[in-house]
Amino acid sequence: MNTKLKVSEISKIYPGCIANDKVSLEFGSGKIYALLGENGAGKSTLFDLITGYTKPDTGRVKFNGESILNLRPDLISSLGIGRTFQKLKPFLDQTLLENVMIGALATGINLNQARDKALEMIDFVDLIDKRHHFAKELSTGQRKRLELARAMATEPKLLMMDEVTGGVDQKTVPGLVELIKKLNKLGVTILTIEHNMRVIMDISHKILALDQGKIIAFDKPKTVQLNEKVIDAYLGGVNATTS
């Protein structure tokens, strides 16, 4: 599954705040990239700029050689970029199956095909026994899995995940970690915002560290963990962890 995302000199400036400051980077195929930074470092803004939810003040974004700058989020999704959100917003009064079918229908397939695709993704995230339950009946961890299933139903080449392990109890985290690895083994390139350092060190091939909207490191996990700028800005020590 060939995937290449290229961001060039992208910036977003708000009154009194530079959210992203001339960020340039490239993500290749088949890897898991973790995006690290304190609250306010510019992580979610970068996600919004890439996926069309926010327009940049400067810069360019290309996906597989095609400019996606200023495209609507649904058009960016149709090109193969999926996304989950930190604040979960399932359709609470619809079943898990109906929620995931909505993602599948966005690819242009018919209702029966969407149902089949949704059931496949629900089974993939180990929620097949919950398929007829309403989303409001699910736990936070189950809603995280629902969010992943709905995003995967759009058949992404690149999946961008915003704090997939955030807000869940520690017993739930290992299952979500294994699910991320399982997705990656299918050939899906993953870019994830994550605060849990144990998770980051376990899953990522490379880490992108942001501080006040600027890239301060982009390298293998062990190298980033020992980077003095990263330690000063975020880690607070070589072996620091956060939940």
Side-chain angles (χ1 to χ4, degrees), residues 176-242:
L176 290 170
V177 167
E178 290 307 308
L179 187 55
I180 294 169
K181 293 178 179 179
K182 191 177 171 183
L183 289 171
N184 184 236
K185 286 179 180 178
L186 292 178
V188 180
T189 302
I190 293 173
L191 173 58
T192 180
I193 294 173
E194 182 58 62
H195 285 292
N196 188 317
M197 283 303 298
R198 289 190 179 93
V199 172
I200 287 176
M201 298 302 291
D202 184 20
I203 67 172
S204 56
H205 296 101
K206 293 185 76 173
I207 296 174
L208 171 70
L210 286 176
D211 182 38
Q212 298 181 22
K214 291 181 178 289
I215 295 176
I216 56 173
F218 188 31
D219 214 323
K220 294 179 180 179
K222 288 292 185 182
T223 303
V224 172
Q225 190 182 35
L226 296 171
N227 185 296
E228 290 185 4
K229 289 183 179 179
V230 176
I231 292 170
D232 289 341
Y234 182 71
L235 296 180
V238 171
N239 296 313
T241 60
T242 63

Side-chain angles (χ1 to χ4, degrees), residues 27 63 69 81 84 100 112 125 160 173 225-226:
F27 297 117
F63 184 62
L69 191 67
I81 299 180
T84 69
V100 181
N112 287 332
V125 300
M160 302 175 62
V173 172
Q225 190 182 35
L226 296 171

Side-chain angles (χ1 to χ4, degrees), residues 80-126:
I81 299 180
R83 180 177 178 181
T84 69
F85 293 84
Q86 179 183 359
K87 295 181 180 179
L88 302 173
K89 294 182 179 180
F91 297 101
L92 294 175
D93 292 319
Q94 293 186 348
T95 66
L96 190 145
L97 176 59
E98 291 167 337
N99 268 272
V100 181
M101 283 180 67
I102 291 170
L105 286 167
T107 66
I109 57 180
N110 64 41
L111 201 60
N112 287 332
Q113 291 170 323
R115 181 182 175 85
D116 290 342
K117 171 60 72 172
L119 288 170
E120 178 187 351
M121 292 299 101
I122 292 168
D123 187 42
F124 184 84
V125 300
D126 297 323

Side-chain angles (χ1 to χ4, degrees), residues 45-79:
T45 299
L46 183 59
F47 265 38
D48 287 344
L49 293 172
I50 292 170
T51 54
Y53 287 88
T54 300
K55 292 184 178 181
D57 294 303
T58 65
R60 300 177 301 281
V61 183
K62 289 187 176 182
F63 184 62
N64 291 339
E66 181 177 347
S67 175
I68 59 173
L69 191 67
N70 295 326
L71 291 182
R72 298 196 315 264
D74 60 309
L75 295 178
I76 292 173
S77 174
S78 71
L79 293 174

